[in-house]
Amino acid sequence: MMQRRALLMASAALVALSSIGLARAAPQVRGTRRKAVLAGARAPIDIREDRMGIAHVQARSRHDAFFAQGYLVARDRLFQLDFDNRRELGRLAEVFGPKFAEADRAARHFHYRGDLSAELAALPAEVADCARGYVAGINARIAETEADPALLPPEYAITGMRPLRWSIEDMLRTRGAGAGDADDEVRRAMLQARGQLDLDHYMDPLRPAWSFTVPEGLDCAAVSVADLGFLRNVGKPLPFEQAELARWDRDVSRSDHAAQGSNAWTIAGSRSATGRPILANDPHLAIGGASPRHMIHLSAPGLDVIGAGYPGLPGIMQGHTDRFAFGRTNFHIDQTDLFVLRTRPEDPEQYWHEGKWKRFETYEETIAVKGEPAQTVTLRYAAGRPVVAQDPQHGRAIALATTAMLPGANMQFAIIALNLATDWDSLREAARLHVSPTNLHYADIEGNTGWQAIGFTPRRPRHDGLFPAPGDGSFDWTGILPVEDMPSLYNPEQGWIASANAMNLPADYPYRERIISFSWSDPFRHDRIAEVLRAAGPHSIEESVALQHDVQSLPARALRKLLPPRPSPAAAPAAALLQGWDGRIGAESGAALLYELVVPELSDRFRKAVIPAEARDLLTSVNLSEMLHALSLPDPRLGADPAAARDALVDAALAAGWAKAEQLAGSDPAQWRWGDLHRVTLRHPLADIPAIAAAYPPISGGRSGGDGTTVMARGFNAKQGYTVRHGASYLMVADVGDWDNTRFLLLPGQSADPASPHYRDFYQPWLSGEMQKLPFSAEAVRAATMSRLQIVPA
């Protein structure tokens, strides 16, 4: 019955696409002019849309510029931002049923429970006003769909949803927090209890070098995976994502998340071909579902900024103003801690903190459930920290401290503040609002370049955040580091700055007094970028474009050095192919395909060789950089003759990888091509609903080079196939000062409507690396204009 209903819904969706949808998103005709009368705008707004579907907004106030952004992103991506909003608010079960109640409850645990009016009052007035404009713009589009439901994307008819109106209070309330490194803290405590903590570096090496110290009073033997409570399911696919849910594994999910990152570099005019700075940025996020970036150009008195933002987050995250370019990559800050609370035996609703028994703060929430009675749940907090697990029998409870729940941690407003900045100093001042760990890159028209690490960094006077800590108050945080105490560079002598999620604390940074993090991404992408940027000669825009698409693999170079001098007959063909290879993970390379099949085999064998069986339940993978380093030594843990053992491991992995290649790509290595396995397929996030899949056919067929370690990051997880899972859906190379020469790409396009010409128009250019120029000046925008829209206040 359910299957028949889904097929009928799919047919209805296709009819909707063929009639309403095509009219809704007709191909652009140059010179088209439209007018929209909308409540919430304060004055007329002129919008020009170019051939790529990018809107160039000219408003009379900054409030109205952000109003236009909210309206346009809702027009192009309504279901995406509405669905994300529902997920953050914990309101999925009301439209999808009881299977979603667990996700709703977890989301509501991370709602801020403090004074929202005080939070709003603490925002800079101009930032709050722009946020109100953004919210009003989204609601103006929703009002249009309420008046004419034919404007709704097909997902709404299929799912029975209706868009939720937005409010600035909800933006203050939803903090989007997650588990952070809680599972790492639990793992280390459990390894310590087993006497196996010395093995942890194989999975998660500490950077910079550091010695473990167990917090005084922590009983490591009492720590277990159960202490993670509902955090164990954070990040789990939602119930309608059946294929992902069936194969979901916490450890695979963890490694997937760790592999995501971004690249950015800033080149001073003294090192560029034009004498102007260059700023390049390509943020690496999930690939395969909804596009995580939407582009726009916002102009108003005191504001002129263009680039890409996240649907539902006001402002532009990567781009440039008329005065400076800015980019970002993930910095690493340990922003969470698990605290072990002692609860009162006779009343487990009380916990010991700061020398006295305190009662948990409790909040009752009602979760509406489609087809069933509403569920009432009780959420507990200890000193404002969500209680994630309780064990009254043993007098324990676990609370998660996260910077996202601190007063003032209003990340949803931080990007507006950055966009309103006018120079380096005001940008750093705006960064005080920025919660998320970020390497912020900067280059201005006066020739200055800079890098500032930003994000809320907790002060831990008594511990380092590597283990759970007793929750009696003695290990509590004592504030956050101010921006001026975070690492930064300004006009460095070497003439370039690069970040790619690797450990980049300056050599003179006092990290022992200002603990930031010990977990960073492997340095492969950063080191390859540095290798190119150190090369002599002026650097051109085209060379930065080429570097963003660079597939030279530093791990592949390291593996070539480990090839056994006398391989076995089964390994000899693989050794010969890799020995003559240039180390490029090209889509047309057979050696690259072999390499990608050999590495998982080697990782599995190395893990079994150095990790005893009784620790493998905790140490579920090995770090690639750590493994290659250990094999190059070779590691004494490999046995009495570690060099011979190393050669045997590599030999066996080569033979197994060759056999796997024959199985997947055929018996003729001359026909092997990495791109044949490494495909780029984009599906609707709800494609497991048949009607959604019918209305939104996958965008597929593309072959890709690269992997998660190359500068052109196209990450995959071998345990779940070879399809690209994360990488740079948005790329930008800014020619600072000659803004119309800035290049960009956006995968797969600006619109989420399959009837739109901008639904997949960037798919092929993205695959081939054909970056486009981004018009910015008034003359370039006029020349690129395809259609115009005027918003008139109601």
Side-chain angles (χ1 to χ4, degrees):
M1 182 67 179
M2 289 298 294
Q3 184 68 17
R4 180 175 179 273
R5 175 177 170 79
L7 289 172
L8 290 172
M9 293 169 72
S11 299
L14 290 172
V15 170
L17 277 176
S18 62
S19 56
I20 297 167
L22 289 174
R24 180 183 62 246
Q28 290 174 303
V29 177
R30 184 178 289 277
T32 302
R33 290 173 178 263
R34 291 168 291 135
K35 180 182 288 188
V37 180
L38 303 175
R42 295 174 180 171
I45 306 169
D46 185 57
I47 300 168
R48 294 173 177 265
E49 294 188 79
D50 63 27
R51 64 181 179 82
M52 299 167 288
I54 298 169
H56 303 262
V57 175
Q58 185 66 55
R60 299 182 188 180
S61 68
R62 291 185 280 194
H63 169 280
D64 278 1
F66 282 90
F67 175 94
Q69 185 189 21
Y71 174 78
L72 292 166
V73 75
R75 182 199 66 180
D76 293 341
R77 306 280 189 90
L78 180 60
F79 187 81
Q80 180 184 358
L81 65 88
D82 184 38
F83 184 83
D84 284 352
N85 189 35
R86 272 193 180 274
R87 182 167 50 195
E88 293 296 330
L89 289 172
R91 294 186 59 181
L92 291 174
E94 68 183 62
V95 290
F96 295 113
K99 290 183 179 179
F100 294 80
E102 180 185 356
D104 284 351
R105 177 173 181 161
R108 296 186 191 206
H109 262 102
F110 293 109
H111 287 181
Y112 183 68
R113 303 294 173 176
D115 185 344
L116 295 183
S117 60
E119 293 291 289
L120 184 58
L123 291 173
E126 185 72 13
V127 170
D129 193 46
C130 291
R132 289 190 182 95
Y134 185 82
V135 167
I138 292 175
N139 288 336
R141 178 58 178 179
I142 292 174
E144 284 187 326
T145 68
E146 291 168 346
D148 181 4
L151 295 173
L152 284 169
E155 294 106 325
Y156 288 96
I158 295 169
T159 62
M161 284 175 59
R162 286 294 177 265
L164 294 176
R165 291 288 186 120
W166 283 50
S167 74
I168 198 166
E169 289 77 17
D170 283 342
M171 294 178 70
L172 290 161
R173 179 181 295 110
T174 54
R175 297 298 178 91
D181 69 338
D183 56 344
D184 295 328
E185 294 181 19
V186 166
R187 183 189 70 248
R188 294 187 193 103
M190 294 177 69
L191 287 170
Q192 170 69 11
R194 298 179 187 182
Q196 297 169 324
L197 186 58
D198 62 311
L199 300 172
D200 192 61
H201 71 95
Y202 287 113
M203 181 169 171
D204 193 7
L206 300 186
R207 299 159 172 153
W210 194 257
S211 298
F212 288 117
T213 302
V214 177
E216 183 182 352
L218 176 67
D219 180 5
C220 288
V223 176
S224 74
V225 174
D227 288 342
L228 294 172
F230 70 80
L231 297 178
R232 296 183 71 185
N233 290 325
V234 170
K236 190 175 183 178
L238 293 168
F240 43 61
E241 299 171 280
Q242 297 297 328
E244 289 289 327
L245 189 59
R247 63 184 184 178
W248 186 74
D249 179 274
R250 279 183 64 248
D251 298 316
V252 172
S253 178
R254 176 189 184 277
S255 62
D256 249 2
H257 181 74
Q260 294 183 29
S262 304
N263 303 318
W265 55 88
T266 308
I267 301 170
S270 60
R271 297 291 304 274
S272 80
T274 64
R276 297 185 298 271
I278 296 170
L279 190 148
N281 191 197
D282 52 301
H284 306 160
L285 298 164
I287 285 179
S291 173
R293 290 291 182 262
H294 180 267
M295 296 187 66
I296 200 163
H297 180 185
L298 304 177
S299 298
L303 175 70
D304 198 2
V305 60
I306 191 171
Y310 182 80
L313 186 68
I316 290 168
M317 302 181 76
Q318 289 103 353
H320 67 80
T321 71
D322 55 336
R323 297 199 55 80
F324 63 85
F326 56 98
R328 57 195 295 124
T329 67
N330 284 349
F331 189 61
H332 286 255
I333 301 175
D334 182 357
Q335 295 187 311
T336 59
D337 275 325
L338 284 180
F339 283 99
V340 181
L341 308 173
R342 178 163 62 95
T343 56
R344 198 167 191 170
E346 61 271 24
D347 184 1
E349 290 298 309
Q350 296 186 52
Y351 66 100
W352 185 256
H353 187 249
E354 295 180 329
K356 59 184 176 182
W357 293 107
K358 295 181 179 180
R359 187 164 294 277
F360 289 125
E361 307 116 57
T362 59
Y363 298 85
E364 282 200 350
E365 293 269 331
T366 300
I367 299 176
V369 181
K370 182 179 180 180
E372 291 191 1
Q375 297 182 13
T376 300
V377 297
T378 300
L379 308 180
R380 292 172 174 80
Y381 298 81
R385 302 160 178 162
V387 176
V388 302
Q390 289 179 277
D391 182 6
Q393 183 178 354
H394 296 95
R396 298 171 82 249
I398 309 296
L400 178 74
T402 170
T403 57
M405 296 290 283
L406 294 175
N410 292 302
M411 181 64 205
Q412 296 203 60
F413 305 90
I415 306 303
I416 298 173
L418 297 182
N419 292 169
L420 299 181
T422 56
D423 56 19
W424 174 247
D425 291 335
S426 59
L427 191 70
R428 295 180 79 204
E429 184 64 28
R432 296 184 191 280
L433 287 178
H434 202 286
V435 183
S436 179
T438 298
N439 292 291
L440 184 61
H441 286 249
Y442 171 91
D444 66 30
I445 57 175
E446 295 172 350
N448 299 304
T449 61
W451 160 74
Q452 175 72 56
I454 60 177
F456 279 23
T457 304
R459 294 183 183 273
R460 299 178 175 93
R462 292 198 60 209
H463 70 122
D464 53 22
L466 293 173
F467 292 86
D472 59 4
S474 61
F475 292 91
D476 283 4
W477 300 346
T478 58
I480 61 171
L481 288 179
V483 170
E484 52 269 24
D485 283 351
M486 297 289 283
S488 66
L489 294 170
Y490 192 63
N491 291 329
E493 185 177 344
Q494 70 179 4
W496 59 270
I497 307 165
S499 70
N501 320 114
M503 202 281 287
N504 58 346
L505 299 178
D508 60 350
Y509 186 74
Y511 68 87
R512 293 188 177 276
E513 291 77 43
R514 304 174 190 171
I515 292 174
I516 292 178
S517 178
F518 297 103
S519 296
W520 305 79
S521 298
D522 281 341
F524 304 125
R525 285 182 288 109
H526 172 272
D527 290 353
R528 173 57 181 164
I529 293 167
E531 183 178 75
V532 172
L533 296 185
R534 286 193 189 105
H539 192 89
S540 68
I541 291 288
E542 288 72 23
E543 285 171 306
S544 270
V545 169
L547 183 52
Q548 285 187 332
H549 296 88
D550 185 273
V551 293
Q552 181 64 228
S553 169
L554 300 192
R557 289 187 197 171
L559 181 63
R560 279 210 316 260
K561 295 179 181 178
L562 299 174
L563 295 175
R566 290 175 294 279
S568 67
L577 183 56
L578 295 179
Q579 191 68 61
W581 176 44
D582 62 5
R584 297 180 70 255
I585 312 292
E588 304 305 319
S589 172
L593 180 145
L594 174 63
Y595 163 79
E596 299 292 1
L597 301 181
V598 166
V599 169
E601 297 287 345
L602 182 58
S603 296
D604 185 58
R605 285 165 171 77
F606 176 77
R607 174 173 167 266
K608 290 175 180 175
V610 299
I611 306 297
E614 60 272 18
R616 291 178 200 155
D617 62 320
L618 297 177
L619 300 173
T620 55
S621 63
V622 292
N623 173 269
L624 179 58
S625 178
E626 190 72 10
M627 178 185 74
L628 292 172
H629 175 69
L631 289 173
S632 68
L633 290 176
D635 195 314
R637 274 193 168 271
L638 293 175
D641 188 348
R646 183 265 319 280
D647 290 348
L649 281 179
V650 177
D651 191 283
L654 290 170
W658 186 270
K660 189 73 174 286
E662 289 185 319
Q663 174 190 343
L664 294 175
S667 58
D668 182 5
Q671 302 301 314
W672 295 351
R673 301 289 184 271
W674 171 229
D676 291 343
L677 294 184
H678 200 44
R679 300 275 181 169
V680 182
T681 299
L682 310 178
R683 293 184 174 88
H684 194 288
L686 276 62
D688 279 353
I689 299 174
I692 294 282
Y696 293 85
I699 301 172
S700 61
R703 302 161 68 255
S704 178
D707 65 11
T709 70
T710 54
V711 178
M712 189 184 82
R714 302 281 168 87
F716 67 99
N717 194 304
K719 293 182 179 179
Q720 298 188 345
Y722 304 97
T723 300
V724 175
R725 294 175 65 90
H726 38 83
S729 54
Y730 170 74
L731 302 92
M732 174 192 75
V733 177
D735 189 343
V736 178
D738 185 6
W739 300 120
D740 292 332
N741 194 37
T742 291
R743 317 295 172 84
F744 83 102
L745 282 171
L746 177 69
L747 177 74
Q750 182 79 330
S751 174
D753 184 345
S756 167
H758 306 301
Y759 179 64
R760 57 168 297 160
D761 52 337
F762 269 95
Y763 183 67
Q764 287 301 330
W766 182 86
L767 287 169
S768 58
E770 299 171 17
M771 294 183 72
Q772 307 295 304
K773 290 190 176 182
L774 182 60
F776 181 75
S777 68
E779 296 78 11
V781 170
R782 280 195 295 269
T785 297
M786 291 292 294
S787 63
R788 296 182 69 175
L789 168 66
Q790 186 180 42
I791 293 175
V792 178

